[in-house]
Amino acid sequence: MIGNYINGARVTDDSAPTAEIFDPALGAVTGQVQLSSAQATRDAIANAAKAFETWSKITPLNRSRILFKFKDLMEANIDELANLISREHGKVESDAKGELTRGLEVVEFACGIPHLQKGEHSRNVGRNVDSHSLMTPLGVCAGITPFNFPAMVPMWMFPIALATGNTFILKPSEKNPSISIRMAELLTQAGLPDGVFNVVQGGKESVDEILENCQVEAVSFVGSTPIAEYIYQKGSQYGKRVQALGGAKNHMVVMPDADISQVTGALMGAAYGSAGERCMAISVAVAVGDEVADALVAQLSDELQTMKVGPGYGVSEENEMGPLVTEAHLEKVKGYIAAGKAEGATLLVDGREHDVTKTSSGYFLGGTLFDHVSKEMSIYQEEIFGPVLCVMRVKSLDEAIALINDHEFGNGTSIFTQNGMASREFSDQIQVGMVGINVPIPVPMAFHSFGGWKRSLFGPLHMHGSDGVRFFTRMKTITTRWPHVSQVTSDFIMPTMK
Ligand code: NAD
């Protein structure tokens, strides 16, 4: 059974309720995960609060040295880690390695903490008066993370939280809990003191304890929008700092001057990579003009015939797309395909008819392509989170921008064009947090911040980059004067610096 990681060791509670862990490629149960009680979560938080007393006093340079070592260990074990992700998530191993690499870039960023946490200093703000600000750690911080990036999303959070001197509780998705325990073990191996990083497996009961517990100072969340909103509201109500990233519906605008082969290549990866289970996946292609749309759907339909769908691990010739995460999710996505057809969209390629969907016991679905999708359809309105691409047809860039701005989500978007003016107009007008110009999945690098707009993010600060450092620290500003004895006076008016 996969249990918790507390105080530098694996801990399991045989009396706790459990959930099943599946291998999505086999469609079979491969293990159990503990669903921790509120009391077990409370104990883990109390432990982390104790560890904070010493960890917060360790010098930033020594904290970053541990993170350097952790990065080395993760890289040395990358094959094993990618395999572990693939066996519980379903994504192909090469994609799992990409996820690990993007997460480790945040570790690399956090290794620069001696520089990033310097604070500010002003000399002589008044006569013989200096001012300096300290970026101090908060205390116990928690991360609640989704199934789709079981290593990268936690690494958006804990490297910066730990580097800035906080201790951390990770509550990973119950769908793929194992990688979090391996990361915890490698942190211990890298020299992280016991209790600084802890993993609590569980569902709503442990999440609610995290949100209500007065020893938790900050909560980072990534997941679906209804839960993100719940976490933001409840965490804020209990006086915590909260950043909660939610769902998405990401559009790619294809302008008449775009190279259609280039666009098709980009869309294949962006729409079908990781079976569409990415918050930055492109799920809507907005073609400007019928000519562009016709050429695009023709090429995409061809490409889908040769896309390799199969298990993400254990194959000599690597597959490009693995299964969906669970049977329930597979059924949900199939339900959207049926709904899209019933609502009148043109179903050009039906993933339900793919050989692997029909013959495998795993949760496979072939890539699916809809044309003539319109605004009121559920396949456009809602996040499907599967390998389903909707093509919409508009007449102008203005119409494309208005369409995207009208959607409830605002996570990522992109435009493919050779026209600099059009791309500038697009990036100026679009109400979306992350924008790509001829880049299909514009995930910012670790030293920039990641986050959407509208109902894709609740809270003011994005993940990692400078926002990440700000989220995990609080400012203390110190004003200092060393007066001569002869200068001591009593001032009854508001102090001003002369
Ligand atoms: P989810 O919302 O179901 O679960 C996320 C986390 O919340 C998990 O740890 C889960 O255990 C917990 N949780 C679930 N229900 C809960 C409840 N009722 N009360 C308290 N906690 C609860 O999300 P998921 O299915 O694991 O992940 C997919 C979603 O995550 C998609 O909507 C995707 O867009 C989103 N996502 C967003 C980003 C982003 O950066 N915006 C990144 C990755 C994933």
Side-chain angles (χ1 to χ4, degrees):
M1 181 169 75
I2 301 297
N4 295 341
Y5 193 89
I6 312 287
N7 243 344
R10 289 185 187 230
V11 184
T12 47
D13 172 4
D14 292 332
S15 65
T18 56
E20 288 174 327
I21 307 170
F22 295 90
D23 180 332
L26 303 176
V29 176
T30 53
Q32 305 287 325
V33 57
Q34 172 178 327
L35 300 177
S36 304
S37 63
Q39 186 59 51
T41 310
R42 207 170 300 141
D43 292 347
I45 294 167
N47 245 312
K50 201 158 184 313
F52 177 73
E53 289 167 22
T54 45
W55 177 246
S56 56
K57 295 186 181 69
I58 288 174
T59 63
L61 196 55
N62 282 322
R63 293 199 292 257
S64 82
R65 282 180 183 140
I66 292 171
L67 288 173
F68 267 119
K69 228 175 247 175
F70 169 68
K71 173 186 161 339
D72 286 348
L73 288 168
M74 289 284 287
E75 282 171 350
N77 290 284
I78 197 157
D79 291 338
E80 174 224 326
L81 299 172
N83 184 265
L84 195 55
I85 292 173
S86 181
R87 283 177 189 276
E88 290 185 358
H89 175 286
K91 65 178 73 177
V92 297
E93 279 179 340
S94 54
D95 189 33
K97 283 183 187 169
E99 146 166 22
L100 287 160
T101 303
R102 291 307 304 259
L104 287 172
E105 286 167 5
V106 184
V107 178
E108 289 171 328
F109 170 72
C111 285
I113 211 67
H115 173 71
L116 296 167
Q117 207 179 353
K118 278 192 303 203
E120 295 165 340
H121 182 263
S122 302
R123 189 169 163 77
N124 271 343
V125 294
R127 195 162 3 124
N128 294 329
V129 179
D130 299 339
S131 233
H132 71 278
S133 49
L134 306 175
M135 297 168 78
T136 66
L138 306 172
V140 181
C141 300
I144 301 161
T145 53
F147 80 83
N148 67 321
F149 285 109
M152 181 184 80
V153 168
M155 281 194 276
W156 283 354
M157 305 168 179
F158 74 75
I160 300 175
L162 300 184
T164 46
N166 301 283
T167 54
F168 202 82
I169 303 283
L170 173 63
K171 206 303 286 171
S173 168
E174 53 277 49
K175 296 191 179 95
N176 37 28
S178 299
I179 187 74
S180 56
I181 299 292
R182 282 299 289 131
M183 290 197 291
E185 285 176 338
L186 294 179
L187 279 165
T188 300
Q189 205 178 323
L192 194 73
D194 295 347
V196 173
F197 179 83
N198 309 276
V199 182
V200 173
Q201 311 285 358
K204 186 168 165 48
E205 186 173 338
S206 45
V207 170
D208 282 342
E209 176 58 33
I210 288 170
L211 296 174
E212 291 170 20
N213 192 301
C214 62
Q215 286 188 298
V216 175
E217 296 288 340
V219 177
S220 289
F221 172 87
V222 177
S224 58
T225 286
I227 310 298
E229 192 167 24
Y230 169 75
I231 301 278
Y232 183 71
Q233 286 176 351
K234 187 158 184 167
S236 304
Q237 182 193 334
Y238 280 85
K240 296 177 199 327
R241 195 177 276 207
V242 186
Q243 54 180 182
L245 278 63
K249 195 82 181 175
N250 306 312
H251 304 67
M252 178 198 281
V253 176
V254 187
M255 293 295 284
D257 62 356
D259 179 314
I260 294 298
S261 301
Q262 218 174 57
V263 171
T264 304
L267 266 176
M268 287 301 294
Y272 303 110
S274 199
E277 293 171 326
R278 289 182 181 143
C279 62
M280 289 292 275
I282 295 289
S283 48
V284 184
V286 184
V288 179
D290 282 331
E291 217 173 294
V292 176
D294 291 342
L296 186 61
V297 295
Q299 282 203 22
L300 284 167
S301 303
D302 283 352
E303 288 287 324
L304 279 170
Q305 305 311 317
T306 53
M307 182 170 77
K308 293 188 216 105
V309 187
Y313 61 88
V315 279
S316 50
E317 192 188 1
E318 183 141 8
N319 289 316
E320 291 162 316
M321 188 176 98
L324 289 162
V325 68
T326 57
E327 188 170 15
H329 190 53
L330 171 66
E331 291 310 317
K332 185 175 164 194
V333 177
K334 282 181 175 172
Y336 273 114
I337 299 174
K341 204 173 169 193
E343 287 168 345
T346 310
L347 182 53
L348 292 176
V349 183
D350 185 350
R352 297 171 302 178
E353 298 302 321
H354 197 288
D355 273 356
V356 74
T357 312
K358 289 177 166 172
T359 57
S360 170
S361 58
Y363 311 135
F364 291 98
L365 179 65
T368 297
L369 181 63
F370 276 111
D371 194 4
H372 297 287
V373 172
S374 58
K375 219 174 150 177
E376 68 291 345
M377 295 177 181
S378 61
I379 52 169
Y380 175 68
Q381 293 287 334
E382 294 164 28
E383 182 183 40
I384 299 174
F385 223 52
V388 180
L389 177 63
C390 297
V391 175
M392 297 178 83
R393 296 168 178 240
V394 297
K395 292 194 168 49
S396 64
L397 176 59
D398 285 349
E399 199 186 328
I401 292 172
L403 175 80
I404 299 168
N405 285 349
D406 209 24
H407 205 285
E408 68 166 318
F409 297 124
N411 211 40
T413 188
S414 71
I415 185 169
F416 272 64
T417 182
Q418 295 177 34
N419 183 331
M421 199 53 221
S423 70
R424 191 180 175 87
E425 174 74 7
F426 181 74
S427 51
D428 280 352
Q429 301 300 327
I430 211 72
Q431 301 288 311
V432 172
M434 293 168 283
V435 181
I437 312 287
N438 297 318
V439 173
I441 306 188
V443 175
M445 295 295 285
F447 33 93
H448 287 264
S449 298
F450 180 109
W453 285 15
K454 298 192 274 185
R455 288 178 62 75
S456 293
L457 172 75
F458 301 86
L461 292 174
H462 292 198
M463 291 274 167
H464 60 69
S466 51
D467 267 15
V469 178
R470 230 168 283 140
F471 183 78
F472 288 115
T473 55
R474 93 177 107 214
M475 203 74 111
K476 182 184 278 181
T477 304
I478 298 166
T479 306
T480 310
R481 174 160 58 184
W482 295 105
H484 292 292
V485 176
S486 59
Q487 285 177 343
V488 175
T489 56
S490 296
D491 273 336
F492 294 95
I493 58 165
M494 183 68 185
T496 54
M497 296 300 183
K498 299 194 181 82

